[in-house]
Amino acid sequence: MNKNGGYTLIETVIYTSILALLLMVVANTLIVVVTIYREFDMRRDVQDSAITSLERMTKEIRNAQSVSTSGSAFNTNPSTLVVSALDGSTPVVREFAIVDGVLRLYEDGVDQGPLSSTDVEITNFVVRFSDTEHSELVKIEMTIQGSDGEYQRNFYNSTILRGSYND
């Protein structure tokens, strides 16, 4: 037996192979974790955009004095919704419209900014209006797609104008 302290070529190849295998396992695990995080983040963006958009539209519709049937575009994709309201004692016109896949709010023609995240795209936005002798109803159908283009979800909402109730 030769006791020269060192490694043989075979030992070095074996150790290097084991190290490479361990690094591949760690790298694959990190890739899976990052992929899952990105998917979760994208789904959260879709959900947050829907919640923010629908809550704001519901609030504005519910408090509106009227829905502008001439200024709005109903039953089309993308629809446009225009409502008239009072801000204190000042009349204001609010418009909800899709611009480049993002839902935007305009007050008296001035852009107030996006209601949905710019990281998602609204691919379907249809507003329906129903005016009966008892009330005015706005139905919203919205499809939001994640940035990867694979995940999308449909959202629905119906709101009655508060001042339109008739007995």
Side-chain angles (χ1 to χ4, degrees), residues 26-42:
V26 169
N28 283 337
T29 303
L30 286 174
I31 290 170
V32 168
V33 167
V34 168
T35 302
I36 289 171
Y37 175 77
R38 284 187 180 160
E39 183 177 326
F40 172 77
D41 194 42
M42 184 236 347

Side-chain angles (χ1 to χ4, degrees), residues 54-74:
L54 290 173
E55 281 183 357
R56 181 66 186 265
M57 285 190 293
T58 298
K59 175 187 166 201
E60 298 300 339
I61 294 166
R62 188 171 288 136
N63 294 324
Q65 300 295 107
S66 64
V67 172
S68 172
T69 55
S70 61
S72 299
F74 299 119

Side-chain angles (χ1 to χ4, degrees), residues 84-104:
S84 299
L86 288 176
D87 192 4
S89 61
T90 307
V92 64
V93 175
R94 292 189 173 98
E95 177 183 351
F96 298 92
I98 301 295
V99 178
D100 296 327
V102 176
L103 181 63
R104 301 191 78 82

Side-chain angles (χ1 to χ4, degrees), residues 36-156:
I36 289 171
Y37 175 77
R38 284 187 180 160
E39 183 177 326
F40 172 77
D41 194 42
M42 184 236 347
R43 287 176 184 239
R44 188 187 66 219
D45 283 346
V46 167
Q47 193 75 20
D48 288 348
S49 289
I51 290 169
T52 302
S53 300
L54 290 173
E55 281 183 357
R56 181 66 186 265
M57 285 190 293
T58 298
K59 175 187 166 201
E60 298 300 339
I61 294 166
R62 188 171 288 136
N63 294 324
Q65 300 295 107
S66 64
V67 172
S68 172
T69 55
S70 61
S72 299
F74 299 119
N75 304 318
T76 63
N77 181 30
S79 291
T80 301
L81 176 64
V82 179
V83 297
S84 299
L86 288 176
D87 192 4
S89 61
T90 307
V92 64
V93 175
R94 292 189 173 98
E95 177 183 351
F96 298 92
I98 301 295
V99 178
D100 296 327
V102 176
L103 181 63
R104 301 191 78 82
L105 170 63
Y106 298 88
E107 286 187 6
D108 292 327
V110 178
D111 188 356
Q112 300 299 307
L115 294 180
S116 62
S117 170
T118 55
D119 294 333
V120 300
E121 180 182 4
I122 297 178
T123 58
N124 181 43
F125 181 69
V126 179
V127 177
R128 292 178 173 76
F129 180 67
S130 180
D131 186 10
T132 68
E133 63 180 280
H134 299 291
S135 64
E136 293 176 324
L137 173 71
V138 176
K139 292 182 180 180
I140 299 168
E141 173 186 320
M142 188 166 50
T143 303
I144 302 178
Q145 177 176 292
S147 57
D148 67 354
E150 292 181 23
Y151 179 73
Q152 69 178 16
R153 188 146 175 233
N154 297 320
F155 299 91
Y156 304 93

